[in-house]
Amino acid sequence: MRRVLVLGAAGFLGRHVSRRLAHDRDLTVITLGRSPLAASPWHISLDLGVCGPDAIGSMLQAVMPDVVVNCAGVTNGDPAAMVAGNVTATSSLVEALLDSDMPIRLVHLGCSAEYGIADVGRPINEDAPVRPEGAYGVTKLAATRLVMTARTAGLEATVLRVFSAIGPGMSVDSVVGPVVTEIGRAAGTDGDVVLGPLDVVRDFVDARDVAGAVEAAVTAASLDWPVVNVGSGCGVPLRTLADTMTRIVGLRGEIRESEDTPGPAPEIPWQQADVTIAARSLGWRPRIGLATSLADLWCSTM
């Protein structure tokens, strides 16, 4: 059996990834994170952003994983926290992996925020220019660059560049968070739903499909592509998402836009993934539709 070490296992994507891999009878899953994880039979508490490459190297020697899946990262907060969680942690990890005498594969979760502004109407492929907006996108791109540098130095690694992940257990800090929060408020009153700008288009991919892409990368015979997009392949306006969710909830009120209501960052108005490479290199395709993702998300908040 292959040992897989999942970093950031207590996070939104980390939990889905750990759960998916644990159901593979050919894999033994070890989890790692800053917080305890009662659901994991083998969990290590460690903060990659502060412990340094020597401590990570000692941990790798103790665990002896065949594959490391890096779901760890910081999505919000001040720039210093994002640098520590996304850049410093990744730097320490790849340094420890390169110094190790074990042939460990690295599957690193990147983010579509690394692309930044894209040409409207043109699906984004892995060769598209990267023009991140804000500290999060910049630090995630820096982490990807570190993984790519380690790959050229001999580390077997790939970056799965995840688009807008949704599904049960999703954080309210995500792009869909304000929609879920406001619909939840309106559900108790059957009143109108007041949201921020709804013309923003995102590629929403279910977190369980993301976990399936990770499993495909973990078990693939080889990692032929340095970066692989993981998305649904469909661009969906936030208004469509809000309409779908209100139907799921059964609200009779209207959806109204308000400039005073926080919404997704308008500086990135449109994103849609080209997932051709994921199908070609990993044999992966998204399977869970938007309505199912939203229904399961709503049930997880009840």
Side-chain angles (χ1 to χ4, degrees), residues 4 16 54-55 64 70 81 90 99 109 115 167 174 193 195 213 244 249 253 267:
V4 183
H16 284 283
D54 290 341
M64 298 186 66
N70 187 17
T90 304
D99 288 344
L109 296 195
Y115 289 120
S174 71
V193 177
L195 298 169
T244 302
V249 175
E267 65 268 14

Side-chain angles (χ1 to χ4, degrees), residues 167-169 180 245 248-249 291-302:
V180 176
M245 192 152 192
I248 289 170
V249 175
T292 299
S293 299
L294 293 176
D296 292 346
L297 166 61
W298 179 251
C299 289
S300 73
T301 65
M302 302 297 287

Side-chain angles (χ1 to χ4, degrees), residues 103-114:
I104 302 173
R105 171 180 291 188
L106 173 62
V107 178
H108 176 85
L109 296 195
C111 180
S112 63
E114 298 169 40

Side-chain angles (χ1 to χ4, degrees), residues 109-188:
L109 296 195
C111 180
S112 63
E114 298 169 40
Y115 289 120
I117 297 174
D119 295 332
V120 175
R122 179 179 297 177
I124 304 167
N125 63 30
E126 289 81 354
D127 292 328
V130 283
R131 298 169 291 200
E133 297 282 333
Y136 177 65
V138 169
T139 55
K140 288 298 290 184
L141 178 59
T144 290
R145 297 298 196 207
L146 287 166
V147 175
M148 294 302 93
T149 300
R151 181 180 166 103
T152 62
L155 180 66
E156 187 187 25
T158 194
V159 175
L160 301 184
R161 195 167 269 162
V162 180
F163 280 65
S164 298
I166 61 173
M170 186 188 68
S171 170
V172 295
D173 293 327
S174 71
V175 68
V176 186
V179 178
V180 176
T181 301
E182 175 61 14
I183 289 177
R185 182 205 62 77

Side-chain angles (χ1 to χ4, degrees), residues 34 47 49 73-89 135 139:
R34 288 173 292 182
D47 187 343
V74 176
T75 59
N76 52 60
D78 60 55
M82 291 191 187
V83 168
N86 297 331
V87 184
T88 304
T139 55

Side-chain angles (χ1 to χ4, degrees), residues 178-179 182 193-197 256-264:
V179 178
E182 175 61 14
V193 177
V194 183
L195 298 169
R256 296 190 289 108
E257 292 184 65
S258 170
E259 295 181 357
D260 296 329
T261 303

